[in-house]
Amino acid sequence: MRPAGGADLPSPGRRYGAALTTPRIVALPGDGIGPEVTAAALEVLARLGEFEVEAHAIGGASIDEHGTALTDETLDACRTADAVLLGAVGGPKWESTDPEAPRPEQGLLGLRKGLELFANLRPVRPSPALLGASPLRRERIEGTDLMVVRELTGGIYFGERGRTAGGSAFDTCAYSVPEIERIAEVAFRSARRRVTSVDKANVLETSRLWRETVERFAGDRRRAARGEGADPREDDVELEHMLVDNAAMQLISRPRDFDVLLTENMFGDILSDEAAMLTGSIGMLPSASLGAPEAPGLFEPVHGSAPDIAGTGAANPLATIGSVAMMLRYGLGRESEGAGIESAVDRALEAGLRTADLGGAATTESATNAVLANL
Ligand code: IPM
Ligand code: MG
């Protein structure tokens, strides 16, 4: 399991304040299965003590209510919270290729940008009980414990885009040196032995800047670690560069060799879904999005809103429960309680808990109860 690390990473600033007063959590249930998994995760959180929870609409739910996927009021509420827990956004109801139509995803992207949550941490650690549920053979997957560190507020997601008079469309990918440096720093702090920096430097100019900047950052860090009064352990983390297409392949052929995968925004989006399947189901993967030291973190499952099973009570709540564990660790400075939730999930799985996505019949409710019983 990953070391505590919370205090070394962005967004730990509120933890001390939060420890003294009742933490204020903004819950953004969103769409599809979002409300069901959020309710389940909040039930687990409530078991740990007192939390003030305030719910707001986001995504499609907010479009229906207010005509926009993220209102200023919701963003302000998040800004002043100690942490934000999000379910999922999106669904067929709001799908459209009309560039003028409001989109649920704008809520999530607006929140990431509005809170400047530039660092997205997606740990991939298949639960021992689920080794048989992975599409890969057990021998290949055993011992995998990696973290995707994805840049979250730059790149093609936020570059200039549009349609031209001639009927074409374009999206631009841009990165600045400081944007690359700050995410590289998070990656190195999260690593225990190696940072694999992913890019497409054989084709893209942004990737060449990415590679050059990460290389320089690692060199400076190594030199600083050798200096007087420095922490020599910082010298231990090695850096390798990997082209994104090759990384997609290596992730399947030798997942346990990876420690931290450092990626720009879109490569991280794609590789983290791929990495999620190593755990047997995308329904298992939690995430944390962190920003400036004083900013609240955003915690959410990696999976989407799964509209096909919304309302059936069959959604797997474990990724959102895992996101609450990350919230305790990275957002509220309550590492041991976060680890406690993670072991309760492992024990419940060992005792046979399987939701439909894992080939079982457990409902959202029975899965939540199984975790609570092991807490
Ligand atoms: C994710 C999601 C989002 C993304 C979507 C919903 C905008 O896929 O968090 O990985 O692309 O970042
Ligand atoms: Mg994604």
Side-chain angles (χ1 to χ4, degrees), residues 89 105 108-109 112 122 150 157 269 300 302:
V89 294
E105 293 78 8
L108 182 55
L109 298 175
R112 289 172 179 171
R122 297 184 163 185
R150 169 187 174 193
Y157 272 60
D269 178 46
E300 52 168 324
V302 171

Side-chain angles (χ1 to χ4, degrees), residues 50-364:
E50 210 167 314
F51 296 88
E52 195 185 311
V53 179
E54 183 185 315
H56 288 267
I58 194 164
S62 177
I63 293 175
D64 288 351
E65 215 177 301
H66 309 287
T68 166
L70 176 68
T71 63
D72 291 343
E73 190 206 342
T74 300
L75 184 58
D76 284 343
C78 293
R79 270 203 188 100
T80 56
D82 290 307
V84 181
L85 180 70
L86 186 136
V89 294
K93 182 174 174 194
W94 306 280
E95 249 160 45
S96 154
T97 55
D98 174 3
E100 303 303 321
R103 302 185 56 85
E105 293 78 8
Q106 287 164 345
L108 182 55
L109 298 175
L111 199 60
R112 289 172 179 171
K113 196 70 173 176
L115 300 175
E116 251 204 275
L117 302 168
F118 66 88
N120 185 219
L121 312 185
R122 297 184 163 185
V124 179
R125 180 184 59 87
S127 182
L130 289 185
L131 289 176
S134 169
L136 297 189
R137 281 197 305 276
R138 166 184 287 268
E139 313 84 83
R140 200 158 272 202
I141 195 82
E142 223 156 23
T144 298
D145 182 1
L146 63 88
M147 172 110 88
V148 178
V149 174
R150 169 187 174 193
E151 200 290 326
L152 204 57
T153 50
I156 202 164
Y157 272 60
F158 294 96
E160 204 192 318
R161 72 176 49 128
R163 302 265 177 129
T164 66
S168 312
F170 63 95
D171 296 275
T172 6
C173 182
Y175 268 108
S176 70
V177 169
E179 279 177 318
I180 300 167
E181 282 172 345
R182 65 181 180 178
I183 192 67
E185 182 170 9
V186 174
F188 276 89
R189 284 188 175 171
S190 307
R192 289 167 301 197
R193 48 192 172 87
R194 185 188 307 122
V195 169
T196 305
S197 176
V198 175
D199 62 42
K200 189 70 185 172
N202 52 348
V203 178
L204 303 176
E205 203 51 48
T206 41
S207 279
R208 288 189 274 270
L209 181 70
W210 183 277
R211 190 175 281 219
E212 188 180 296
T213 306
V214 174
E215 188 65 41
R216 190 176 54 239
F217 177 87
D220 289 351
R221 191 171 181 279
R222 221 171 291 129
R223 273 185 294 280
R226 289 192 195 129
E228 217 177 308
D231 182 352
R233 280 172 309 176
E234 297 211 331
D235 200 17
D236 291 348
V237 177
E238 55 178 88
L239 169 67
E240 69 175 345
H241 302 281
M242 199 177 279
L243 296 174
V244 62
D245 46 351
N246 186 29
M249 184 176 73
Q250 305 291 344
L251 203 49
I252 298 294
S253 66
R254 48 178 191 94
R256 76 169 137 250
D257 289 350
F258 289 100
D259 177 11
V260 163
L261 276 152
L262 164 63
T263 76
E264 61 89 75
N265 205 341
M266 188 152 82
F267 296 160
D269 178 46
I270 298 167
L271 289 183
S272 61
D273 268 35
E274 187 192 359
M277 266 325 277
L278 302 175
T279 64
S281 166
I282 196 166
M284 297 299 300
L285 228 71
S287 81
S289 303
L290 309 174
E294 278 306 306
L298 169 70
F299 303 85
E300 52 168 324
V302 171
H303 65 68
S305 61
D308 51 326
I309 57 161
T312 65
N316 180 351
L318 297 181
T320 317
I321 292 174
S323 302
V324 160
M326 291 191 87
M327 171 193 281
L328 288 158
R329 171 175 299 131
Y330 296 109
L332 302 173
R334 294 165 67 156
E335 155 71 23
S336 63
E337 288 163 290
I341 291 182
E342 285 161 358
S343 0
V345 168
D346 282 346
R347 279 196 296 274
L349 290 167
E350 263 150 44
L353 165 65
R354 297 286 184 279
T355 40
D357 54 313
L358 296 168
T363 61
T364 310

